[in-house]
Amino acid sequence: MLPLAPVLVPLLTALLTASLPHHPRLRGITSLAGALALLASAVALFLHVHQDGAMSVALGNWPLPYAIEFVADGLGTALVLTAALLGLCVIAHALATAAGTEPAEQARAGLHPLLHALLAAVMAVFLAGDLFNLYVWFELMLIATLGLLVLGAERRHAEAALKYFATSMLGTLLMLAAVGLIYGATGHLNFSALQGAMRDPQVAAALPAPVTLLLLALLLKAGVFPLFLWLPASYHTLPAAALALIGGLLTKVALYVVMRLLGGVFAGMPGLLAEALGWLAVITMISGVLGAAYHWDIRRILAFHIVSQIGYLLLGVALASPAGAAGTAFFLVHNVLVKAQLFLICALIWMAAGHHDLRRIGGLYVARPLLAVLFLIGAFSLVGVPPSSGFWGKLLLVREAFAQDRLVWGGAALGVGLLTLYSMSKIWLEGFWKPHPAARPEGAPAHAALHPAAYAGVLALTVPIVALGLYPEAALRHLELATQTLWLVGGPR
Amino acid sequence: MTPRSALLAFAARPLYWLLLAAALWILLRGHNEPGGGFIGGLVAVAASSLVAIALDTAAARRLQPLAPLPLAMLGVGLAMLSGLAGAATGAPYLTHLWTAWGVSTVMLFDAGVFLAVWGALTGYVYALLADNGQAAQ
């Protein structure tokens, strides 16, 4: 039962919160209690797996490989824990700032059920033990995200939702086709059964094409070059809390699946695939960061940075080694937290300054010093200044790239770090440092007051980010242990 | 609106109950033969849609036990909870318990699926018929 708890708890919370459309207060309490219960179950599962090794549940007690199986291993539970923490922070933020933002009452009624449904789907993807189940939960992620995108019920929301829906639907169809082809070639959907079937050279020879198709679908969902244009075009219209959750988690979930499939289930795919992924990663990194450098809307800058960070993660996957996988996993945990923290800060900037456009705001360093410090922590982590969590993630990836003589890949990762610094300092200089553009001799226009509770979500996310930077050993040791089996079976090199 | 057929409007209610009875029969038949909650739910959706098109969505809503969204949520909740009974005995989640005469927690699960499909899809149908929920009040 324990491995299923992180899926069932948010599903139940989604149901409960949805059945309270006219009781905002009770709904908020239920939502927060559900998020706390989710975190508790994630911690319990993580500790259990950490001590006693991987657990699995075959739903309905059907015999494997026919049962729907959920597998909780070291890597999956680490990410479940990260996502549960993120979920709690995001929901706390949504509740604390509910008074400051003013979406329609209807929209707020839909927000919490959809956030919990999204969390349930993400958890299930982290724990899924077979391909079809994985596909189903990806689909639920798509539906929940789509619901969040149209919450605002304005024209721009419909436009963003349409862009998201079109690309996601394409990805979903490709994924379903690929799952079908893989089932046709192997006769299995269960991960461990697939791994067993791969030992037959004839079966393995039939797989590169369908697996590549599956990868294509996942890369589309992850926002990899040249399939990323939907992402910055749709994300910036989301409600702040949903943006932090989606921007922090969603694309990374697809990357996690790519790593799990290529490194574990389908280990032993031709080296050419890793080669192609590596170059895609480099282009993705660069195009994301260049897109960010061009924009002035903080949300768009951060959304383009998601694309760039996806490049780093893909680079780690392309390195196709246990060390690369450990680096990817660490970077994944770090990036989920930092990205969400920056998106929440961006929401606070909007609440204080009334705008997302950097050209129209300023002077926040004087007006809101705490916000400035929190932003600096997040921005330094994203850039990878030592000793921040991003530094360790990038160090692991770049070191492994150089160790494999991938000089261009490693060099690109370093160069993109510099460009990240550029757009983070742009936000810093324009939003925090420069005086407010409308400032007159008698002083800048007043910023809106921020209730101390509004900082709750951001603060709660900043603590693990700082901890991960100052003391990365524990997390790293856990993730190295969890990823040591990836790419062991006759890797590409 | 398009002109309505008097014949269809007259027949809609009897047909609704007939279709609903068929839906329930399919739901129960699914226990041992082809059928089940999903297909039964779809037939129930057809029944509600027929009334919604032949008369109006308000009439279709009145014939349903609950509004579409609560109905769907009740269904999902039932299906989720039906799996807990088996889990309480220590078996994996969704392991179902059986008693004599074929009564089991599977039935609860199937009924949940039935309600979820009926609620969710009628919600879509009513929305597509340009009823934004005002008619029910």
PDB file of all heavy atoms in Angstrom, chain A residues 178-188 194 197 200 202-207 210:
ATOM      1  N   ALA A 178       4.048   4.437 -30.210  1.00  0.00           N
ATOM      2  CA  ALA A 178       5.323   3.796 -29.877  1.00  0.00           C
ATOM      3  C   ALA A 178       5.112   2.673 -28.874  1.00  0.00           C
ATOM      4  O   ALA A 178       5.708   1.596 -29.002  1.00  0.00           O
ATOM      5  CB  ALA A 178       6.289   4.836 -29.322  1.00  0.00           C
ATOM      6  N   VAL A 179       4.247   2.922 -27.880  1.00  0.00           N
ATOM      7  CA  VAL A 179       3.980   1.880 -26.886  1.00  0.00           C
ATOM      8  C   VAL A 179       3.397   0.648 -27.579  1.00  0.00           C
ATOM      9  O   VAL A 179       3.792  -0.492 -27.308  1.00  0.00           O
ATOM     10  CB  VAL A 179       3.020   2.409 -25.794  1.00  0.00           C
ATOM     11  CG1 VAL A 179       2.528   1.283 -24.918  1.00  0.00           C
ATOM     12  CG2 VAL A 179       3.709   3.461 -24.952  1.00  0.00           C
ATOM     13  N   GLY A 180       2.492   0.886 -28.527  1.00  0.00           N
ATOM     14  CA  GLY A 180       1.906  -0.222 -29.271  1.00  0.00           C
ATOM     15  C   GLY A 180       2.949  -0.991 -30.059  1.00  0.00           C
ATOM     16  O   GLY A 180       2.974  -2.225 -30.054  1.00  0.00           O
ATOM     17  N   LEU A 181       3.841  -0.256 -30.724  1.00  0.00           N
ATOM     18  CA  LEU A 181       4.877  -0.912 -31.527  1.00  0.00           C
ATOM     19  C   LEU A 181       5.815  -1.727 -30.643  1.00  0.00           C
ATOM     20  O   LEU A 181       6.222  -2.834 -31.004  1.00  0.00           O
ATOM     21  CB  LEU A 181       5.668   0.130 -32.313  1.00  0.00           C
ATOM     22  CG  LEU A 181       4.932   0.767 -33.485  1.00  0.00           C
ATOM     23  CD1 LEU A 181       5.731   1.912 -34.063  1.00  0.00           C
ATOM     24  CD2 LEU A 181       4.660  -0.282 -34.557  1.00  0.00           C
ATOM     25  N   ILE A 182       6.156  -1.155 -29.489  1.00  0.00           N
ATOM     26  CA  ILE A 182       7.064  -1.879 -28.590  1.00  0.00           C
ATOM     27  C   ILE A 182       6.379  -3.141 -28.077  1.00  0.00           C
ATOM     28  O   ILE A 182       6.986  -4.209 -28.005  1.00  0.00           O
ATOM     29  CB  ILE A 182       7.495  -0.965 -27.422  1.00  0.00           C
ATOM     30  CG1 ILE A 182       8.420   0.134 -27.949  1.00  0.00           C
ATOM     31  CG2 ILE A 182       8.199  -1.762 -26.345  1.00  0.00           C
ATOM     32  CD1 ILE A 182       8.712   1.216 -26.964  1.00  0.00           C
ATOM     33  N   TYR A 183       5.098  -3.020 -27.774  1.00  0.00           N
ATOM     34  CA  TYR A 183       4.357  -4.199 -27.324  1.00  0.00           C
ATOM     35  C   TYR A 183       4.316  -5.242 -28.428  1.00  0.00           C
ATOM     36  O   TYR A 183       4.483  -6.445 -28.179  1.00  0.00           O
ATOM     37  CB  TYR A 183       2.938  -3.794 -26.910  1.00  0.00           C
ATOM     38  CG  TYR A 183       2.107  -4.958 -26.427  1.00  0.00           C
ATOM     39  CD1 TYR A 183       2.412  -5.573 -25.223  1.00  0.00           C
ATOM     40  CD2 TYR A 183       1.047  -5.442 -27.179  1.00  0.00           C
ATOM     41  CE1 TYR A 183       1.668  -6.643 -24.766  1.00  0.00           C
ATOM     42  CE2 TYR A 183       0.302  -6.515 -26.734  1.00  0.00           C
ATOM     43  CZ  TYR A 183       0.613  -7.115 -25.536  1.00  0.00           C
ATOM     44  OH  TYR A 183      -0.113  -8.171 -25.092  1.00  0.00           O
ATOM     45  N   GLY A 184       4.125  -4.779 -29.668  1.00  0.00           N
ATOM     46  CA  GLY A 184       4.098  -5.705 -30.790  1.00  0.00           C
ATOM     47  C   GLY A 184       5.417  -6.434 -30.957  1.00  0.00           C
ATOM     48  O   GLY A 184       5.451  -7.613 -31.292  1.00  0.00           O
ATOM     49  N   ALA A 185       6.517  -5.713 -30.732  1.00  0.00           N
ATOM     50  CA  ALA A 185       7.835  -6.310 -30.954  1.00  0.00           C
ATOM     51  C   ALA A 185       8.242  -7.235 -29.829  1.00  0.00           C
ATOM     52  O   ALA A 185       8.951  -8.216 -30.044  1.00  0.00           O
ATOM     53  CB  ALA A 185       8.879  -5.205 -31.125  1.00  0.00           C
ATOM     54  N   THR A 186       7.819  -6.944 -28.599  1.00  0.00           N
ATOM     55  CA  THR A 186       8.315  -7.720 -27.467  1.00  0.00           C
ATOM     56  C   THR A 186       7.235  -8.553 -26.808  1.00  0.00           C
ATOM     57  O   THR A 186       7.544  -9.532 -26.122  1.00  0.00           O
ATOM     58  CB  THR A 186       8.878  -6.782 -26.380  1.00  0.00           C
ATOM     59  OG1 THR A 186       7.814  -5.940 -25.920  1.00  0.00           O
ATOM     60  CG2 THR A 186       9.984  -5.915 -26.926  1.00  0.00           C
ATOM     61  N   GLY A 187       5.963  -8.148 -26.939  1.00  0.00           N
ATOM     62  CA  GLY A 187       4.907  -8.855 -26.239  1.00  0.00           C
ATOM     63  C   GLY A 187       4.808  -8.460 -24.777  1.00  0.00           C
ATOM     64  O   GLY A 187       4.104  -9.113 -24.008  1.00  0.00           O
ATOM     65  N   HIS A 188       5.507  -7.403 -24.384  1.00  0.00           N
ATOM     66  CA  HIS A 188       5.476  -6.991 -22.979  1.00  0.00           C
ATOM     67  C   HIS A 188       5.299  -5.489 -22.856  1.00  0.00           C
ATOM     68  O   HIS A 188       5.653  -4.727 -23.763  1.00  0.00           O
ATOM     69  CB  HIS A 188       6.777  -7.385 -22.275  1.00  0.00           C
ATOM     70  CG  HIS A 188       6.879  -8.850 -22.044  1.00  0.00           C
ATOM     71  ND1 HIS A 188       6.045  -9.523 -21.195  1.00  0.00           N
ATOM     72  CD2 HIS A 188       7.725  -9.767 -22.575  1.00  0.00           C
ATOM     73  CE1 HIS A 188       6.373 -10.803 -21.197  1.00  0.00           C
ATOM     74  NE2 HIS A 188       7.372 -10.984 -22.032  1.00  0.00           N
ATOM     75  N   LEU A 194      10.170  -6.250 -20.104  1.00  0.00           N
ATOM     76  CA  LEU A 194      10.791  -5.701 -21.315  1.00  0.00           C
ATOM     77  C   LEU A 194      12.296  -5.875 -21.265  1.00  0.00           C
ATOM     78  O   LEU A 194      12.927  -6.243 -22.260  1.00  0.00           O
ATOM     79  CB  LEU A 194      10.461  -4.213 -21.437  1.00  0.00           C
ATOM     80  CG  LEU A 194       9.120  -3.849 -22.052  1.00  0.00           C
ATOM     81  CD1 LEU A 194       8.879  -2.366 -21.921  1.00  0.00           C
ATOM     82  CD2 LEU A 194       9.083  -4.250 -23.517  1.00  0.00           C
ATOM     83  N   ALA A 197      13.046  -9.302 -22.147  1.00  0.00           N
ATOM     84  CA  ALA A 197      12.857  -9.577 -23.568  1.00  0.00           C
ATOM     85  C   ALA A 197      13.999  -9.015 -24.402  1.00  0.00           C
ATOM     86  O   ALA A 197      14.316  -9.529 -25.473  1.00  0.00           O
ATOM     87  CB  ALA A 197      11.528  -8.996 -24.033  1.00  0.00           C
ATOM     88  N   ASP A 200      16.987 -11.156 -25.891  1.00  0.00           N
ATOM     89  CA  ASP A 200      16.897 -11.859 -27.168  1.00  0.00           C
ATOM     90  C   ASP A 200      17.373 -10.908 -28.265  1.00  0.00           C
ATOM     91  O   ASP A 200      16.768  -9.866 -28.497  1.00  0.00           O
ATOM     92  CB  ASP A 200      15.435 -12.259 -27.403  1.00  0.00           C
ATOM     93  CG  ASP A 200      15.275 -13.061 -28.688  1.00  0.00           C
ATOM     94  OD1 ASP A 200      16.227 -13.059 -29.493  1.00  0.00           O
ATOM     95  OD2 ASP A 200      14.210 -13.663 -28.866  1.00  0.00           O
ATOM     96  N   GLN A 202      17.221 -10.897 -31.397  1.00  0.00           N
ATOM     97  CA  GLN A 202      16.270 -10.617 -32.478  1.00  0.00           C
ATOM     98  C   GLN A 202      15.254  -9.559 -32.055  1.00  0.00           C
ATOM     99  O   GLN A 202      14.908  -8.669 -32.820  1.00  0.00           O
ATOM    100  CB  GLN A 202      15.539 -11.902 -32.862  1.00  0.00           C
ATOM    101  CG  GLN A 202      15.935 -12.372 -34.231  1.00  0.00           C
ATOM    102  CD  GLN A 202      15.128 -13.572 -34.661  1.00  0.00           C
ATOM    103  OE1 GLN A 202      14.748 -14.401 -33.842  1.00  0.00           O
ATOM    104  NE2 GLN A 202      14.872 -13.658 -35.941  1.00  0.00           N
ATOM    105  N   VAL A 203      14.784  -9.678 -30.806  1.00  0.00           N
ATOM    106  CA  VAL A 203      13.834  -8.701 -30.285  1.00  0.00           C
ATOM    107  C   VAL A 203      14.520  -7.339 -30.173  1.00  0.00           C
ATOM    108  O   VAL A 203      13.981  -6.302 -30.583  1.00  0.00           O
ATOM    109  CB  VAL A 203      13.301  -9.149 -28.908  1.00  0.00           C
ATOM    110  CG1 VAL A 203      12.491  -8.046 -28.259  1.00  0.00           C
ATOM    111  CG2 VAL A 203      12.465 -10.400 -29.062  1.00  0.00           C
ATOM    112  N   ALA A 204      15.747  -7.362 -29.635  1.00  0.00           N
ATOM    113  CA  ALA A 204      16.467  -6.108 -29.432  1.00  0.00           C
ATOM    114  C   ALA A 204      16.689  -5.390 -30.762  1.00  0.00           C
ATOM    115  O   ALA A 204      16.663  -4.171 -30.839  1.00  0.00           O
ATOM    116  CB  ALA A 204      17.795  -6.376 -28.744  1.00  0.00           C
ATOM    117  N   ALA A 205      16.889  -6.176 -31.839  1.00  0.00           N
ATOM    118  CA  ALA A 205      17.155  -5.569 -33.136  1.00  0.00           C
ATOM    119  C   ALA A 205      15.931  -4.849 -33.682  1.00  0.00           C
ATOM    120  O   ALA A 205      16.049  -3.927 -34.479  1.00  0.00           O
ATOM    121  CB  ALA A 205      17.611  -6.642 -34.122  1.00  0.00           C
ATOM    122  N   ALA A 206      14.731  -5.280 -33.243  1.00  0.00           N
ATOM    123  CA  ALA A 206      13.510  -4.659 -33.763  1.00  0.00           C
ATOM    124  C   ALA A 206      13.150  -3.391 -33.013  1.00  0.00           C
ATOM    125  O   ALA A 206      12.231  -2.684 -33.412  1.00  0.00           O
ATOM    126  CB  ALA A 206      12.358  -5.655 -33.680  1.00  0.00           C
ATOM    127  N   LEU A 207      13.871  -3.115 -31.912  1.00  0.00           N
ATOM    128  CA  LEU A 207      13.406  -2.048 -31.025  1.00  0.00           C
ATOM    129  C   LEU A 207      13.876  -0.622 -31.334  1.00  0.00           C
ATOM    130  O   LEU A 207      13.164   0.320 -31.002  1.00  0.00           O
ATOM    131  CB  LEU A 207      13.761  -2.391 -29.575  1.00  0.00           C
ATOM    132  CG  LEU A 207      12.750  -3.328 -28.912  1.00  0.00           C
ATOM    133  CD1 LEU A 207      13.160  -3.589 -27.486  1.00  0.00           C
ATOM    134  CD2 LEU A 207      11.354  -2.743 -28.951  1.00  0.00           C
ATOM    135  N   PRO A 210      10.923   1.836 -32.764  1.00  0.00           N
ATOM    136  CA  PRO A 210       9.857   2.257 -31.837  1.00  0.00           C
ATOM    137  C   PRO A 210      10.361   3.014 -30.621  1.00  0.00           C
ATOM    138  O   PRO A 210       9.698   3.936 -30.155  1.00  0.00           O
ATOM    139  CB  PRO A 210       9.174   0.942 -31.434  1.00  0.00           C
ATOM    140  CG  PRO A 210      10.015  -0.143 -31.930  1.00  0.00           C
ATOM    141  CD  PRO A 210      10.873   0.387 -33.014  1.00  0.00           C
TER     142      PRO A 210
END
